[in-house]
Amino acid sequence: QLQLVESGGGLVQPGGSLRLSCAASSFPLDRYAIGWFRQAPGKEREGVSCISTRDGSTYYADSVKGRFTISRDNAKNTGYLQMNSLKPEETAVYYCAAVLPITTVQGICNTRLARYWGQGTQVTVSS
């Protein structure tokens, strides 16, 4: 039933990098913004980064600016999140979502506007 399939998570040392991918299986992802969200144990799911459909505008949470890069390849129906200089406190399950593009990229980077969700991929940052 999942409309988005995620991959790329795993165990990485502090300061290391991971690249997450999010592929749409049965719908045109280019109709939606793509969002990346994470949920750490005992915490709420929070927006990490989002990318728009119309002009490729991006949003990053303050905590990840300068270290993470969001991108998309509409021809492949896939979105990506490159994560560099990872910190232990960023250990979480990371979820991608197809998000309704009804406002600014910052405005749509929230869970309420997600239409489809990936299954989540575990990212563990530990030495």
Side-chain angles (χ1 to χ4, degrees), residues 61-120:
D62 288 343
S63 63
V64 308
K65 286 180 179 176
R67 298 185 296 114
F68 289 13
T69 303
I70 190 170
S71 62
R72 66 189 302 162
D73 186 338
N74 288 334
K76 296 181 178 180
N77 230 26
T78 302
Y80 305 93
L81 184 67
Q82 178 69 45
M83 305 186 294
N84 297 329
S85 302
L86 282 160
K87 303 174 181 179
E89 57 264 38
E90 293 173 320
T91 294
V93 178
Y94 283 68
Y95 298 90
C96 68
V99 183
L100 296 174
I102 61 173
T103 184
T104 64
V105 67
Q106 180 176 354
I108 58 89
C109 208
N110 67 82
T111 60
R112 293 183 295 107
L113 298 179
R115 176 64 180 87
Y116 303 111
W117 288 97
Q119 81 277 18

Side-chain angles (χ1 to χ4, degrees), residues 16-36:
S17 298
L18 287 173
R19 182 174 180 259
L20 307 182
S21 65
C22 175
S25 60
S26 61
F27 70 96
L29 189 57
D30 61 5
R31 296 183 181 178
Y32 298 88
I34 298 171
W36 288 94

